Amino acid sequence: MSDFDLVITDVRVVTDEQDEPRNADIAVRDGRIVSVEPGLDPSRATRVVDGGGRLAFPGVVDAHQHWGIYNPLDEDAATESRACAQGGVTTALTYMRTGRYYLNKGGAYRDFFPEVLELAGNRAHVDYAFHLAPMSREHISEIPALIGEHGVTSFKVFMFYGGHGLHGRSTDQSSFLMTPEGEAYDYAHFEFVMRGIQAAREQYPDLADQISLSLHCEIAEIMTAYTRLVEEAGELSGLAAYSASRPPHSEGLAVSIASYLAHETGLPTINLLHLTSRKAVEGRRPHEPGLPAHRLPPRGDRGTSPRRHRHRARHRRQGQPPAAPARGRGGAVGVRPRRHRRLGRLGPRVLP
């Protein structure tokens, strides 16, 4: 009986533990890599593949995607995850929220999230999990249950929703986000989300390092004003117009606000998603004595936005209490292009 189902010989293995690839063979048994070392005996394997000196990479964890935003979730779960597998992404963490787009419904996550899991179930070609956006006070109160009952440990704030919609102007925040009457998705809400996340970290100390909050950092009022300037000038179109309507100081100011709120609420880490300018990075620096720069995760995030970085978090099975990673079976992961250098006279230039 063979020791291994498969041995891949003569590959150059790339890992984050070393600066250069190392020559090795890879042994697989029962669908898992069990050995990575030079000189494995091919006779111990049922099947042998000659790697021919090619590079061998571990599967990538893409920690920020958007399944179900432009197409039905059950369709996207198959097509988006297939593209993941084709590109070497073996684990995907995809964003989900209540409101317009996605499932186009509001309400509590106790009713909403089981439907999400059912729509995505048995359709993905890669391992996957969800990170959720607390859009209302009720959602904040549900954070402990989402962690304890469903294994959701990643949450997100989209700082400009309502004031400036992802797909254009938004004049009716409550209608767009389908939030309860009288509630606002604003800086105060972001603060209370952070307090809810930190409370959950304290409630689940063994999971504290895995419970995270990500933020898309831009200021709605600045984006709206610059969009108006671009439209009135009529000089730019396409990506140049898009870039000009989203100046880097909008990111920088939002990052500064997010960092200060995290400091105020005692949340030790926040994940600042897909930063696109030097000013955004500078926005997390301390501006006053005693205010620490907030720590980013070791590799930031990967996802459907620019400048992704590998995220090494371990994701738990969702749809059941925390246990093993969610297992899938896997299109196209949309990449928003890097911002082009500003043209014209409408404001500051975007740093590369």
Side-chain angles (χ1 to χ4, degrees):
M1 183 176 180
S2 301
D3 295 326
F4 310 120
D5 300 322
L6 170 68
V7 166
I8 304 173
T9 63
D10 187 23
V11 292
R12 293 177 292 148
V13 176
V14 178
T15 71
D16 61 356
E17 300 169 349
Q18 57 203 26
D19 293 333
E20 299 293 333
R22 63 186 177 96
N23 296 324
D25 304 328
I26 301 173
V28 178
R29 183 174 58 241
D30 297 330
R32 294 181 177 271
I33 294 174
V34 295
S35 181
V36 180
E37 57 184 287
L40 287 174
D41 183 359
S43 66
R44 298 172 61 191
T46 304
R47 181 185 176 208
V48 178
V49 174
D50 182 4
R54 294 178 176 87
L55 294 171
F57 292 82
V60 173
V61 176
D62 188 336
H64 186 56
Q65 298 189 7
H66 290 264
W67 297 1
I69 184 172
Y70 299 118
N71 299 295
L73 176 58
D74 54 347
E75 295 179 12
D76 262 6
T79 57
E80 298 292 293
S81 61
R82 185 189 304 121
C84 289
Q86 291 170 336
V89 174
T90 57
T91 301
L93 187 63
T94 184
Y95 171 72
M96 183 57 61
R97 62 164 174 80
T98 55
R100 299 293 180 191
Y101 304 99
Y102 302 100
L103 301 192
N104 289 302
K105 59 178 62 177
Y109 272 122
R110 64 177 174 270
D111 302 318
F112 180 87
F113 193 52
E115 183 176 354
V116 170
L117 296 173
E118 181 179 357
L119 288 169
N122 298 318
R123 290 174 174 83
H125 297 275
V126 299
D127 294 353
Y128 67 97
F130 291 92
H131 61 165
L132 302 180
M135 309 302 294
S136 66
R137 290 198 297 267
E138 183 177 32
H139 290 172
I140 296 173
S141 71
E142 291 182 294
I143 289 173
L146 289 168
I147 296 170
E149 297 175 15
H150 292 291
V152 176
T153 57
S154 180
F155 301 88
K156 183 182 176 183
V157 162
F158 212 120
M159 291 184 70
F160 66 70
Y161 263 156
H164 190 103
L166 179 62
H167 306 279
R169 296 183 183 86
S170 177
T171 57
D172 187 346
Q173 183 188 77
S174 179
S175 175
F176 177 70
L177 300 179
M178 297 184 177
T179 51
E181 185 177 355
E183 293 193 22
Y185 191 77
D186 55 14
Y187 295 128
H189 178 76
F190 307 157
E191 174 190 337
F192 295 135
V193 170
M194 290 184 180
R195 293 191 186 279
I197 297 295
Q198 181 55 23
R201 288 166 50 88
E202 295 169 2
Q203 181 174 342
Y204 295 96
D206 293 341
L207 296 176
D209 288 343
Q210 299 178 40
I211 299 171
S212 66
L213 178 66
S214 300
L215 296 100
H216 180 124
C217 296
E218 289 182 280
I219 300 295
E221 292 82 358
I222 293 176
M223 294 169 64
T224 299
Y226 273 71
T227 297
R228 185 178 298 113
L229 288 174
V230 171
E231 291 175 341
E232 291 173 350
E235 299 174 359
L236 302 175
S237 62
L239 288 174
Y242 184 91
S243 176
S245 68
R246 287 156 172 80
H249 66 276
S250 173
E251 275 191 321
L253 179 56
V255 167
S256 180
I257 293 171
S259 298
Y260 194 95
L261 286 177
H263 170 72
E264 176 67 22
T265 57
L267 187 61
T269 59
I270 52 176
N271 184 17
L272 304 178
L273 295 173
H274 42 58
L275 303 181
T276 64
S277 68
R278 185 179 302 163
K279 289 186 177 181
V281 177
E282 291 173 346
R284 63 179 284 267
R285 295 177 180 173
H287 297 290
E288 298 180 18
L291 176 59
H294 247 69
R295 181 169 66 87
L296 299 177
R299 302 284 177 131
D301 74 283
R302 297 185 63 87
T304 53
S305 298
R307 301 191 182 181
R308 307 180 190 108
H309 308 284
R310 186 182 306 159
H311 184 60
R312 299 171 63 189
R314 179 165 60 92
H315 307 301
R316 293 178 173 270
R317 182 181 298 275
Q318 295 181 353
Q320 299 181 9
R327 195 75 192 172
R329 65 172 182 78
V333 179
V335 179
R336 189 176 77 184
R338 291 174 60 176
R339 296 184 176 189
H340 286 206
R341 186 175 293 275
R342 272 282 296 110
L343 302 175
R345 63 177 188 275
L346 297 174
R349 298 167 72 90
V350 175
L351 295 174

